[in-house]
Amino acid sequence: MKLAAALLLLPLGIARAQPPTPESVLGHKPGDDFYLASYDESLGYFQKLAKATDKLKLVQVGKTTQGRDWYIAVISAAKNLAALDKYKDTARRLALVKGLTDAQARELAHNGKVIVHIDGGLHATEVAHAQHTIQLAYNLVTGADAETAAILDNVILLLWFSINPDGQNMVVNWYRANVGTPFEVSNLPGLYQEYIGHDNNRDGYMNNMIESQVITRANLEFYPQVFYNHHQTAPFPARIWIPPFGDPVSLNPHPLMYRWVNVFGTAMAAYLDEHDMPGAMHRGRFDDWYPGFVDHVNNFRNTVSFLTETALYRFATPHFYTTDEFPQDKRDLRTEVFYSSPWRGGWWRLGDAVRYMLGSSMAVLDTAAKNREELQYDRYRAGRDVVARFTKDPPYAYIIPRAQRDPNTAAILAEKLIIDGIEMHQATRDLTADGATYKEGDWVVLMDQPFAALVKELFDVQKYPELPHPPPVTAAGGRGGGAASPPATPAATPAATPAVTAGGRGAAGGGRGAAAGGRGTPAAAGGQAPPAQLPYDVTGWTLPIQMGVETVAVSQPVSDATRRQLRKIERADPIQGKVEGSGPVFAFSHNSNASLIAVNDILAAGGTVSFAKTEPTIYATGHADLLRKSGVNASSLKEAPDAWPVKKPRIALYEPWMGVIDEGWTRWILEQYRFPFTRVHNPDIQAGHLREHYDTLVIAEMGTRQIMDGMAPGSVPGQYAGGIGETGAQALRDFVTQGGTLVTLGNATLFAMDEFSLPLTNVVAGLPQSQFFCSGSLLRTEIKEPNHPAVAGLPATPAVMFERNPVFDTKPAFRGKVLAAYLKDRNPLISGFLLGAETIQGKAAALDANYGSGHIIMLAFRPQWRGQAHGTYKFLFNALYYNQAMAQEAPAREGGRGGGNPQQSAWRREAESVKTDLSKLVDQNRAYFTARGPAAAEPGKSLESALDAFQRDRLPQLDDLRAQVEDAAAARRFAAYSAQLKKFAVDLRTKDFSASKLDDLLEQYKLAVIP
Ligand SMILES: [Zn+2]
């Protein structure tokens, strides 16, 4: 039957029209000077092409953030497309491994096709890739040569003509409006992805954005073996930057991924030289360390994934380069091992970039075709090996307990993993097995699954490797590059935004690559050798720590009996709230982020809300249904105790014209948590009278110069030039003087310090990278004012994301409060890399500065970083509600540790006191083990009796106090701490610690931080 239908269709196939050339539909050849096709036009062309060939079919993969229909082209020989479902199934079975023997996998690979993803890029101001996809499709469906035939026969190409359709349209519209005017190469104002601009290439594992979700979903539907993501721009004067990449790389992917990436890169270089396209460069310092890049995340799912960066001037405008514009060490045009065909300068046009991209894409397709079977089999092999790795070695599983201080966020973490293609289970009843306790409803990740490397990578604590000094690398660009890379622009300078570089500290960055450029800072600034190869992006991201979610690594194999008590789930349902009684007042915990959704919904519905003054408790009238819906557990009270009333805040969010990524993230998070807000631009601020309209004004991570000066006059059309200037700064001072709350995040705290003349010092200002360096790491802070409303619901020692931010010390004239400080008595680094810890220990991370009758909340880290740092969202959320009335009453009580109730505080006080005993015990251990012969008898006896007393009296006391703690999550943490204390006590009796430092021991025994 099927055969007959296929035969019937044949005559129609023959009758098809000739595939139209791009120029016949678009009026231009892709790559023409001064011309860019929009996404809509590109789609129009692909629709016509699909009608005229049986080698290409369009598939809708979803919708974009702005609601556009999003299509990809699937390109292969007609007979392969006719059997697409069969080949998808083969790819899926090989990727998921389960139930296959090696022989069966071999057979599948022998009969299957290699599936390759190639895309038109997601950084929309890098324009060439979305043009090259149009030409690539036409060339493939019309090519009559043997190379094309072999590709179509062996490869199924998933051609994404753009992976940021909204952005492509924005940029094309902008360029068209300016081409031929003095602003032809001006920056696009605003972000080229609705919320996060350039960070759309940093959302790979988190999938916060709709676009990321669509791409991930397609990867889990088609299971491509190869993923190729195009970017611009190359390190000047290279014409294209390709794999092999620089070190360091992530530790967890299967080694074959990097091997194949190198094969593809080397094949590309040869192909380009064979086709008279010199100037391909490998290596350099753009690394694969952060797992959130849209390509790299797929290496953890055993898809061979990589990007390239092709040279770019600006948009579709050509440019002529002479060698004397080249960096000094490239002017002699000498042959290098990783740059063996140096580019000699001359014209560089959009058409050249398109040609190079066509070459590199064809090289990838050609290499995939020639290795069809091996690439398929290696995806199976990698999955099989990962399963074997976690069958043999721990962690055998991770548990995400349901009882947490913020259970709703734990559910979000579980859901994120499922979106990432991780198989997730839930315990169907309480059970203790193999050294771990599972409670009914706990989420369980069994690690013997093919993509487990991703879980390991996200849950591990990162230790950025100390590498030797990197080889000298020239110029800017790299991962994510920028819209523009004029010659000899040092990477530290966001070239496209000359007005905003003075901030220096890698300031925030615009949507145009400034952020990435800033992070590509070359090592040897100021002639000072750096301590290690500097990271390209962040160094530590440990997701459970960022999200404030507790997870348990299971160190014993999970038995079949335990597995039978687990249920596989397809999604992690959001937690439903349990509401006891019928009010009229409901009390619920401030600890979960979801409680703030409830607060916003209740305020919007006209209810009243108040925050308890010394407990992490929120009171609200009525609206039990809203509480339930937000996933909040509440109990009923007759009346609300004395508490701080919370008003529906009138929030303004400052939005500079240049497009600041963190502003977009902030906007997205405010929407997610249903905070109402108004976007304000420079003229709105300069107009003053802000206090009449707003209670709170938020400035996200950005530099002082960005805020004050914006984009340089003359560089962009007049209405977008400039910042808030002195007029705007005065309007902000008036706003706070009149009782408003200004909330500043990250480096915007420096704007507050400078423009409000706050008596503070930034203790890391001006320090060379050889003395202080921390580019994206998780650091431990300590809450200093546990009863301050701005820190309500936060744990006692929150982990914060620190990314080249200031650290403050207060001068005597400072009026206000230090809300949180970096740990004083030990290195605050948790995950990533921190050089110069002692400089910031004990110094302020968050402050409430009094100013006039208002307040400035300064959060000098990244409280909502990339929509990942759920654990510190409340720093921001609380600040949004914070007002004068609360401040006047905020007690200056000292000594508490916050984040708990009296029972928990009592336990912590006792634990502190027990911890101080340890120092004495270690001294006694040292005395005993350093003594020789008979002289050891005395110290031996006193160590014995001290330990006897410690174990007999001190430890049980702690256990007694713990028994009174009701909160299950807190009790569990306390129990874990006590268990470590017991272990340490046992070892102190028998092990020689005379060569160890107390701090190291506390660290080693996980006793340094009291939970
Ligand atoms: Zn890019």
Side-chain angles (χ1 to χ4, degrees), residues 272-536:
L272 292 166
D273 282 353
E274 284 164 8
H275 292 79
D276 302 318
M277 290 181 260
M281 184 188 278
H282 315 258
R283 312 248 4 234
R285 62 171 315 280
F286 311 118
D287 59 51
D288 255 343
W289 181 250
Y290 174 62
F293 299 119
V294 73
D295 60 322
H296 185 35
V297 65
N298 296 297
N299 281 314
F300 298 86
R301 286 189 285 254
N302 310 318
T303 295
V304 176
S305 306
F306 50 90
L307 55 63
T308 60
E309 302 265 1
T310 306
L312 166 69
Y313 175 59
R314 290 185 185 202
F315 304 110
T317 299
H319 191 73
F320 191 87
Y321 296 92
T322 56
T323 47
D324 53 8
E325 296 169 278
F326 285 17
Q328 196 72 49
D329 71 320
K330 291 285 183 260
R331 285 182 200 169
D332 60 359
L333 306 177
R334 76 184 181 283
T335 299
E336 297 176 31
V337 64
F338 289 114
Y339 184 50
S340 60
S341 56
W343 187 56
R344 315 183 76 83
W347 279 103
W348 186 255
R349 298 171 182 279
L350 176 66
D352 294 315
V354 167
R355 196 161 51 88
Y356 273 63
M357 288 178 176
L358 287 168
S360 58
S361 289
M362 284 300 283
V364 167
L365 292 169
D366 179 59
T367 306
K370 287 171 176 156
N371 296 280
R372 175 184 61 85
E373 201 168 321
E374 215 49 37
L375 279 164
Q376 291 178 80
Y377 187 77
D378 275 358
R379 183 151 202 212
Y380 161 79
R381 186 198 305 265
R384 181 199 68 187
D385 291 354
V386 171
V387 170
R389 169 182 167 195
F390 292 108
T391 305
K392 200 159 60 67
D393 291 318
Y396 297 97
Y398 285 104
I399 303 170
I400 308 173
R402 206 176 164 85
Q404 302 258 356
R405 64 190 311 285
D406 184 351
N408 312 73
T409 300
I412 293 174
L413 174 60
E415 180 68 13
K416 292 288 179 194
L417 294 179
I418 294 174
I419 291 171
D420 264 319
I422 302 302
E423 195 175 278
M424 181 69 66
H425 287 82
Q426 228 173 348
T428 56
R429 61 184 187 85
D430 292 4
L431 60 138
T432 305
D434 307 320
T437 306
Y438 306 74
K439 291 272 189 196
E440 183 185 347
D442 284 359
W443 295 281
V444 180
V445 183
L446 297 171
M447 289 294 278
D448 50 355
Q449 55 176 302
F451 309 157
L454 182 58
V455 186
K456 182 78 166 41
E457 182 74 21
L458 297 180
F459 282 33
D460 265 354
V461 163
Q462 280 76 41
K463 241 187 153 150
Y464 189 77
E466 298 265 349
L467 297 175
H469 196 294
V473 172
T474 38
R479 258 205 188 278
S485 181
T489 301
T493 308
T497 52
V500 300
T501 59
R505 309 193 55 80
R512 287 163 305 285
R519 275 169 212 132
T521 309
Q528 206 116 23
Q533 180 151 331
L534 297 182
Y536 176 70

Side-chain angles (χ1 to χ4, degrees), residues 123 126 231-232 480-481:
H123 288 158
E126 303 162 8
H231 286 259
Q232 293 180 284

